Amino acid sequence: MRYSLCFVILALALSGSFSSSAAGEISFDLRADTILYYFPAPDSIAITADFTLFSSNPRDTFFLSDIGTFLDGVSAGYTPLEITALADECFGKEEEDCTGDCQDMINGVSKSGICIFWQDPRDSLLAVCMCTVNIRWFSTVAYAGEAIVSFELDLIDAIAETDELNNSFQLFIGPIDRERSSWGRIKSLD
């Protein structure tokens, strides 16, 4: 009995049923894309983070997740992220029919997207027509000259995604050496 149970578990794992999606299967993914930043004051940094929500589902699905902002790997703040992946017209379409508009809701705001056919470059079995919605998120946090700014999606792992490795983006920005610029101003007064 013990060996037959192990065989069933091994067979399920090898069949790819846990990682592959085909037309008509439910899929979700959050992908961190880029960071823009500026300094509204000497002691703060304003971050604009762009990310993409991919979804393919036959019914409305709600997730309560989060976004974290980090400076030099240290948390600078968390923001709740409410995602309602709406039942979309992309669900169940084959590659040749994967066209049209779709919508999802982020923090109660409707976001428009388009249907695209997505295939995982690491797994040829993972291919599905998905609603693709680009999202722009803003945050301003205290800044003290840190060299790396980053954001991470779904820190609490509320969403079972097709790719859990693409949820963060980081950017080397400095360090901003304010002392040197101050010394330059003082020298110019001579």
Side-chain angles (χ1 to χ4, degrees):
M1 177 69 181
R2 182 171 53 176
Y3 295 110
S4 62
L5 179 59
C6 290
F7 177 77
V8 169
I9 291 172
L10 181 61
L12 285 173
L14 292 176
S15 72
S17 62
F18 293 114
S19 64
S20 66
S21 296
E25 289 195 30
I26 299 170
S27 299
F28 299 101
D29 193 31
L30 291 169
R31 183 188 70 203
D33 295 321
T34 190
I35 294 174
L36 302 171
Y37 68 95
Y38 69 95
F39 300 97
D43 60 349
S44 65
I45 184 170
I47 300 165
T48 302
D50 291 330
F51 63 97
T52 305
L53 169 64
F54 298 92
S55 65
S56 180
N57 55 307
R59 63 187 174 284
D60 293 358
T61 307
F62 177 78
F63 300 102
L64 180 57
S65 188
D66 58 354
I67 300 176
T69 305
F70 299 87
L71 296 172
D72 285 347
V74 177
S75 172
Y78 297 96
T79 303
L81 180 63
E82 296 177 0
I83 298 172
T84 304
L86 300 173
D88 58 68
E89 69 173 59
C90 308
F91 180 78
K93 289 185 175 180
E94 296 294 336
E95 182 174 8
E96 60 275 2
D97 300 321
C98 185
T99 61
D101 296 330
C102 55
Q103 289 190 329
D104 285 325
M105 305 237 347
I106 307 297
N107 291 338
V109 177
S110 179
K111 300 287 185 178
S112 296
I114 59 170
C115 297
I116 65 161
F117 192 78
W118 181 82
Q119 184 166 2
D120 190 335
R122 298 166 297 166
D123 181 357
S124 62
L125 296 176
L126 184 56
V128 66
C129 184
M130 301 183 98
C131 179
T132 307
V133 176
N134 296 317
I135 299 148
R136 183 159 272 185
W137 171 77
F138 304 96
S139 177
T140 302
V141 296
Y143 180 77
E146 291 86 355
I148 298 172
V149 61
S150 61
F151 76 98
E152 187 168 339
L153 302 160
D154 195 27
L155 291 159
I156 58 174
D157 290 328
I159 303 171
E161 299 176 60
T162 55
D163 184 353
E164 294 285 354
L165 301 177
N166 62 358
N167 287 1
S168 64
F169 188 92
Q170 72 177 19
L171 184 65
F172 181 75
I173 61 168
I176 306 300
D177 191 358
R178 291 191 174 94
E179 191 63 36
R180 184 174 296 160
S181 63
S182 298
W183 181 247
R185 276 191 239 126
I186 291 170
K187 284 178 64 177
S188 68
L189 295 175
D190 288 340

